[in-house]
Structures are given as C-alpha cells and as structure tokens.
Amino acid sequence: DAKTTQPNSMESNEEEPVHLPCNHSTISGTDYIHWYRQLPSQGPEYVIHGLTSNVNNRMASLAIAEDRKSSTLILHRATLRDAAVYYCILKWNYGGSQGNLIFGKGTKLSVKP
Amino acid sequence: NAGVTQTPKFQVLKTGQSMTLQCAQDMNHEYMSWYRQDPGMGLRLIHYSVGAGITDQGEVPNGYNVSRSTTEDFPLRLLSAAPSQTSVYFCASRLRGVDTYNEQFFGPGTRLTVL
C-alpha cells in the first residue's frame, strides 16, 4: 500500500502562510492525493484533493510535485481557526473503486497569535 | 441538511454491557462507514457499507456489528463492551462515484468510555 510521511507537528504565526509537506514516494498513477483536517474535538473535514495538477479552492492550495512523489498543502494566511491535525491521504481502500479513506497520524498544526 | 449526525455524544459503559451507536445522514449517500480514533492516533476503519443491505469489515471489526436496512441509517453495535473499546467513534458518508471525486463527510463523534 502506498504510504504517506508527514511531520508530526508544525507551528505557524497567525496571518502568515503555512506549507504542510507530505511525502508519498510509492504513489501509484491512479491515486488521488487527499487532504483532510480535524479541528479539536470534531470529526475530520475535507480540505482539498488533486491528481496531477496544482489545485486551489477557498480553503487552501495543493501543490503536487511533477513526479507526484510529494505534495504540499498551502494555507495562504493562517488563522487561529486553522489549528488542527492535517491528514495527507492517498488511499481509498475497502469498498471498490473509491471506498474509504485510510488515515495516518497527520501533522498537528499550531497557530500562534 | 443536517449532514451526518451521531448519538449519543458521550457514553460510559461497564465491561460486558452492550449498546448501539446511532448514525444517520440526510444526503442520500450510498457509502457509510464507522471509524474509531484512539488518543494520538489517526482514524481506523471498523465497518463500512456501500448501500442498503450491504456491509463489510474494515481494519478493526472485532467486537462490533453493523447492519444497513435503510440508506439513511448505519448503527454500530458493541456486543460485549471491553475497556479496549474506549475510543472516539466517527461515522462518515459519501456519494458513491466512479468517475467523479466525492468527499467524505464525518459526524461529530461519540466519545465512549468502558470501565
């Protein structure tokens, strides 16, 4: 199974950009790269996903390396509300073509005022 | 839409007791699943369902039962609670899709303590 490697924790200052890295050197050609986050005492929520090209949405940007062996989630201006655990996920598994997400331990992002 | 709802929010059980964690979604999602999250860990898949009447096991199914009689509901039953089942339980759902990406929606969680 393709695995992801993320730093255990990162710190950021409020209103500064944050770059959250993820290594996935064994990614296969059909694996999406998903990012979810989990705010304290809440369930995970979707952030962004991509396959090959860089992606932007209202929450974040996803920069994908040309060889797809790594990616970076970019929060353009961190707020205190962005303090959460961020999960980089490759695998849908269990249940067919999309199935269910397989979570690792993620990166705990702290945001300082 | 209420999204994915879970009840109860908190529960304390004694070893050997049984109970059912409720999960419901109002988005007409085919896929539903149950995860557990232990302290400092990511989520692990317990059971999942790809539609009414169809369920299957995930990574850590032992000690849990599920059924899916309707699209909306996916209850998780603990048959005989053990302290090792102390955890936070999350229910999730998403549309079934093959050619389009469908994000997974999570409920707020049930915090279960087994004494």
Side-chain angles (χ1 to χ4, degrees):
Chain A
D1 272 356
K3 284 189 148 186
T4 61
T5 304
Q6 299 179 254
N8 289 334
S9 62
M10 290 184 65
E11 271 192 358
S12 170
N13 294 317
E14 197 176 11
E15 299 195 2
E16 290 186 356
V18 181
H19 291 235
L20 296 161
C22 182
N23 287 323
H24 30 77
S25 58
T26 58
I27 190 171
S28 76
T30 56
D31 285 337
Y32 278 108
I33 301 161
H34 319 251
W35 284 83
Y36 279 69
R37 73 179 185 180
Q38 187 174 20
L39 302 172
S41 300
Q42 294 190 28
E45 63 179 0
Y46 168 80
V47 177
I48 200 166
H49 77 281
L51 190 58
T52 55
S53 305
N54 294 346
V55 184
N56 299 300
N57 66 19
R58 62 175 180 80
M59 287 181 72
S61 296
L62 178 59
I64 301 172
E66 205 168 317
D67 63 6
R68 300 211 327 127
K69 293 186 177 182
S70 65
S71 61
T72 302
L73 179 71
I74 302 165
L75 307 178
H76 295 286
R77 287 180 72 223
T79 68
L80 297 178
R81 196 195 172 275
D82 291 322
V85 178
Y86 286 79
Y87 297 98
C88 169
I89 302 167
L90 291 189
K91 273 304 196 188
W92 297 109
N93 207 340
Y94 303 101
S97 60
Q98 288 195 24
N100 296 278
L101 298 168
I102 303 299
F103 286 80
K105 292 185 181 180
T107 296
K108 184 173 183 179
L109 175 66
S110 303
V111 180
K112 296 183 289 185
Chain B
N1 284 353
V4 180
T5 58
Q6 292 183 239
T7 56
K9 284 189 166 51
F10 301 93
Q11 183 70 49
V12 179
L13 291 178
K14 294 181 179 176
T15 297
Q17 286 185 316
S18 63
M19 79 158 294
T20 299
L21 279 61
Q22 301 292 344
C23 173
Q25 51 89 12
D26 60 359
M27 298 173 281
N28 205 30
H29 287 173
E30 296 94 342
Y31 275 81
M32 295 187 74
S33 49
W34 277 101
Y35 293 83
R36 61 176 286 175
Q37 185 173 35
D38 300 320
M41 305 289 288
L43 282 71
R44 291 185 293 169
L45 184 67
I46 305 171
H47 284 286
Y48 67 96
S49 168
V50 301
I54 306 169
T55 64
D56 208 341
Q57 297 181 351
E59 182 185 0
V60 288
N62 291 343
Y64 307 95
N65 269 0
V66 291
S67 60
R68 184 100 178 268
S69 56
T70 67
T71 300
E72 295 77 20
D73 300 298
F74 191 43
L76 178 73
R77 280 182 287 278
L78 278 70
L79 308 171
S80 177
S84 61
Q85 294 178 304
T86 294
S87 191
V88 181
Y89 291 83
F90 292 101
C91 181
S93 74
R94 66 169 180 83
L95 284 169
R96 176 181 184 175
V98 177
D99 298 324
T100 59
Y101 183 88
N102 294 296
E103 69 181 89
Q104 200 157 6
F105 293 84
F106 288 82
T110 294
R111 189 174 295 273
L112 176 67
T113 301
V114 183
L115 303 175

